Amino acid sequence: MTDAPPPASPPPRPEARPATRSPLSDGEWHRMHPLTPLFRGGIFLLVVGGIVIANLRERLIEWFLPMIAPGVSGDAFPDDPVDFVFEHNLLLIALLVVLGVVVLLVGAFYLSWRFHTFRITGDDVEVRAGVLFRSHRRAPIDRVQGVNLTRPMIARLFGTAKLEVVGAGLDSNVKLEYLSTANAEAVRADILRLASGMQLAHAADASPAGTRLGAAASAVSAGIAGLIDGAEDPADEPDSVVDIPVGRLIGSQLLSGGTIGLILAIAAIVVGSIVGTPWLLVGMIPAVIGFAAVWVRGITRSLRYSIAPTSSGVRITFGLFTTVTEILPPGRIHAVEVSQNLMWRPAGWWTVTVNRLSGRGVAASGADQFATVLPVGTRADVERVLRLLLPALPEDEWPLVFGHGILGPADDDPFTNTPRRARLLRPFTWRRNGLHLTDRALFLRRGVVWRRLAIFPLARLQSVDISQGPVDRALRVASVRAHTIPGRVSGTLGVLDRDAALGAFEGVASRAIAAAASDRSHRWAGHVSPAATETTGSPEVAEPGEPETAVTAQADPRGQSESRPSD
């Protein structure tokens, strides 16, 4: 085992931004970017255009590319709709029909833009859409879990982006699509400041009519400028604390479990085609094409990756063609897992995933693309990321992450492991299978081939339970499960000593209540007075661990479910 690198120093604390309200967050209804209907209905237009071209391809070749089919006349196309129009003198009617379709499309796009509005108040983010069938979605500010900013490739060419306000319930997200990139950044900053408990100052123009007129003029101007310049001009991007080389991304994909599985599948198909029928090779082609698409998407998705601290939380950006930026505010991370597969071990690479509310359905939670906050990184990269995600973890507990957690067990192992009498239930992992509880977090360690360490902040823990099967009762062991929001990080750890599991149960229950009672990350700037914000232009937020004066502790409501194994 190599010497452990020196602990990564925590990144510098970013300066807070002035809390000036943007013109689009004045509590009035505003419309989206003028090009929104085009981006939202562009796929439909492409499909219609493709159908038209497919039906008129011969006539289009005759008109525009006669050198490809010389000597071909309209007589060769008796079923061509263009010939039918000319032969029956229906040209005027055809032009009127085309003009009518164009007018209907333009009118539909205008109505769609006209009735698609949003507003941001001190309590909610609301979006209204629809002409015949109206919809009205609302996201309470105090339940906002984050704000994602996505810039698809085509929208980036016009300098636009879409916002997704992540709510606390299932399918509760509110989407603002599309806004100019500058407006999207400003609106996102306003929403996050309001979610922090801070009051915003008034906009520069206090007149509602003037504000609406200025916002509309700004939107139109941004749309025209985007059409002319075609440039993406995002707001200030903080420096990333992690840099992932392209070679590491490619290597991580080559050494992934999916690649090994594909190689084994190809070898089996080749052997089967040699000893059996050669038609098995044909069935290999779709699998290779599908895997290549997933492989390339995995690389391009992780390009332009950055992670950095901001005054509103941890900012994560990734994507080559479609750029996605997510901000995880303080207190929104419910579980963190550091994992390493066997193929990555010689290179010393790890990946970091989290559980946090995504506002999507339960089925989409396990495949959440935002769950991976570090695709592949070294030990130093992992420590920097974890210090951003778990700022409240005391310095003396950091050895639990690598020294005893990922690389353990080491000497003086503090984890409660599987007892020797039950090692047959975990023949390879019984020494690593362990649990450790501190005042701040619950650590679950498992796996030998795929090393995993899950960290659950007690302030976010929902409940804990213990279960036993008949074999467990005979061996006096039990399974412990930490309940959190659905996600890719599992909170289940089995085959622990029964008495140790009962002690962990009692300890988690009492410490989680204490941690939730003292937690103030839900409204992380709620103790900043509006007067101080408007006077100084920046909030004064206490550092983690500083004494809190004249602050009412706010804890998320949670229920404790208790269950004990039978003796």
Side-chain angles (χ1 to χ4, degrees), residues 145-146 148 164 166-168 173 301 316 318 324 326-329 331-336 353-360 364-365 367-373 389 460 484-489:
Q145 303 298 308
N148 302 332
E164 183 176 7
V166 180
N173 292 0
R301 178 185 173 276
I316 305 171
F318 56 86
V324 180
E326 180 183 24
I327 289 186
L328 290 175
R332 269 54 174 181
I333 299 173
H334 293 244
V336 181
T353 56
V354 298
N355 281 2
R356 86 280 181 275
L357 286 171
S358 62
R360 298 177 176 88
S365 298
D368 185 7
Q369 63 173 340
F370 301 111
T372 302
V373 297
L389 301 178
R460 305 267 76 83
T484 181
I485 61 174
R488 291 164 56 180
V489 181

Side-chain angles (χ1 to χ4, degrees), residues 157-210:
L157 298 177
F158 295 91
T160 60
K162 61 180 178 180
L163 286 180
E164 183 176 7
V165 182
V166 180
L170 298 180
D171 299 322
S172 61
N173 292 0
V174 173
K175 297 180 180 180
L176 280 65
E177 49 184 3
Y178 287 77
L179 301 171
S180 68
T181 304
N183 286 338
E185 291 279 3
V187 168
R188 178 174 62 177
D190 285 347
I191 295 174
L192 289 172
R193 291 192 191 107
L194 290 170
S196 72
M198 186 188 306
Q199 298 296 322
L200 299 181
H202 294 290
D205 184 0
S207 172

Side-chain angles (χ1 to χ4, degrees), residues 2 5 17 31 41 46-47 56 59 169 262 279 287 377 412 452 539 544:
T2 59
R17 297 179 181 177
R31 295 187 179 90
L46 290 177
V47 171
L56 300 180
R59 178 60 63 185
L262 179 66
W279 288 104
D412 301 327
R452 300 180 186 274

Side-chain angles (χ1 to χ4, degrees), residues 40 134-135 154 440:
R40 300 186 68 187
R134 300 282 288 166
S135 66
I154 300 300
R440 298 277 185 171

Side-chain angles (χ1 to χ4, degrees), residues 238-287:
D239 294 333
S240 177
V241 301
V242 172
D243 181 25
I244 304 179
V246 178
R248 186 191 300 169
L249 284 174
I250 297 176
S252 66
Q253 292 292 327
L254 289 175
L255 297 177
S256 64
T259 303
I260 303 301
L262 179 66
I263 293 175
L264 295 177
I266 291 176
I269 292 175
V270 170
V271 172
S273 64
I274 294 175
V275 301
T277 173
W279 288 104
L280 290 176
L281 293 175
V282 179
M284 182 178 64
I285 297 176

Side-chain angles (χ1 to χ4, degrees), residues 418-471:
T418 298
R420 183 179 294 272
R421 64 178 181 272
R423 63 182 180 273
L424 292 179
L425 299 180
R426 294 289 188 274
F428 302 106
T429 63
W430 69 277
R431 292 182 182 275
R432 276 189 49 83
N433 199 55
L435 173 148
H436 184 67
L437 177 64
T438 67
D439 291 335
R440 298 277 185 171
L442 173 66
F443 296 81
L444 301 182
R445 183 184 66 191
R446 63 173 70 87
V448 173
V449 177
W450 277 269
R451 295 175 172 176
R452 300 180 186 274
L453 176 69
I455 307 173
F456 297 86
L458 294 183
R460 305 267 76 83
L461 202 60
Q462 301 298 313
S463 64
V464 62
D465 68 50
I466 305 176
S467 60
Q468 273 187 325
V471 178

Side-chain angles (χ1 to χ4, degrees), residues 206-558:
S207 172
T211 301
R212 290 195 296 268
L213 181 59
S218 174
V220 175
S221 175
I224 296 175
L227 284 171
I228 297 174
D229 299 332
E232 172 192 359
D233 185 21
D236 55 323
E237 285 278 355
D239 294 333
S240 177
V241 301
V242 172
D243 181 25
I244 304 179
V246 178
R248 186 191 300 169
L249 284 174
I250 297 176
S252 66
Q253 292 292 327
L254 289 175
L255 297 177
S256 64
T259 303
I260 303 301
L262 179 66
I263 293 175
L264 295 177
I266 291 176
I269 292 175
V270 170
V271 172
S273 64
I274 294 175
V275 301
T277 173
W279 288 104
L280 290 176
L281 293 175
V282 179
M284 182 178 64
I285 297 176
V288 173
I289 294 176
F291 177 80
V294 173
W295 194 79
V296 172
R297 185 169 64 249
I299 295 177
T300 57
R301 178 185 173 276
S302 300
L303 291 174
R304 298 181 62 184
Y305 167 86
S306 68
I307 181 170
T310 69
S311 59
S312 300
V314 180
R315 177 169 179 152
I316 305 171
T317 304
F318 56 86
L320 178 62
F321 302 112
T322 297
T323 303
V324 180
T325 302
E326 180 183 24
I327 289 186
L328 290 175
R332 269 54 174 181
I333 299 173
H334 293 244
V336 181
E337 183 178 77
V338 183
S339 60
Q340 180 192 62
N341 63 47
L342 182 64
M343 284 75 73
W344 286 10
R345 194 168 302 173
W349 296 338
W350 287 268
T351 184
V352 179
T353 56
V354 298
N355 281 2
R356 86 280 181 275
L357 286 171
S358 62
R360 298 177 176 88
V362 177
S365 298
D368 185 7
Q369 63 173 340
F370 301 111
T372 302
V373 297
L374 179 63
V376 55
T378 62
R379 174 172 177 174
D381 296 336
V382 172
E383 290 197 17
R384 294 190 190 99
V385 171
L386 291 182
R387 288 180 183 273
L388 294 180
L389 301 178
L390 302 170
L393 196 67
E395 189 65 31
D396 58 352
E397 294 184 8
W398 281 106
L400 294 171
V401 176
F402 273 96
H404 297 288
I406 288 293
L407 301 177
D411 296 336
D412 301 327
D413 184 19
F415 281 72
T416 300
N417 303 316
T418 298
R420 183 179 294 272
R421 64 178 181 272
R423 63 182 180 273
L424 292 179
L425 299 180
R426 294 289 188 274
F428 302 106
T429 63
W430 69 277
R431 292 182 182 275
R432 276 189 49 83
N433 199 55
L435 173 148
H436 184 67
L437 177 64
T438 67
D439 291 335
R440 298 277 185 171
L442 173 66
F443 296 81
L444 301 182
R445 183 184 66 191
R446 63 173 70 87
V448 173
V449 177
W450 277 269
R451 295 175 172 176
R452 300 180 186 274
L453 176 69
I455 307 173
F456 297 86
L458 294 183
R460 305 267 76 83
L461 202 60
Q462 301 298 313
S463 64
V464 62
D465 68 50
I466 305 176
S467 60
Q468 273 187 325
V471 178
D472 294 336
R473 286 195 293 271
L475 295 175
R476 301 192 310 278
V477 295
S479 297
V480 176
R481 180 180 181 184
H483 290 277
T484 181
I485 61 174
R488 291 164 56 180
V489 181
S490 172
T492 302
L493 186 69
V495 198
L496 294 176
D497 180 77
R498 185 193 63 178
D499 296 334
L502 286 172
F505 176 86
E506 299 292 344
V508 170
S510 59
R511 297 185 187 188
I513 293 174
S518 62
D519 178 62
R520 50 188 172 91
S521 60
H522 176 63
R523 303 280 280 179
W524 62 94
H527 58 289
V528 180
S529 63
T533 301
E534 296 183 11
T535 301
T536 62
S538 61
E540 298 179 358
V541 183
E543 292 281 2
E546 291 183 359
E548 182 180 1
T549 59
V551 178
T552 302
Q554 298 184 9
D556 291 335
R558 66 187 73 246

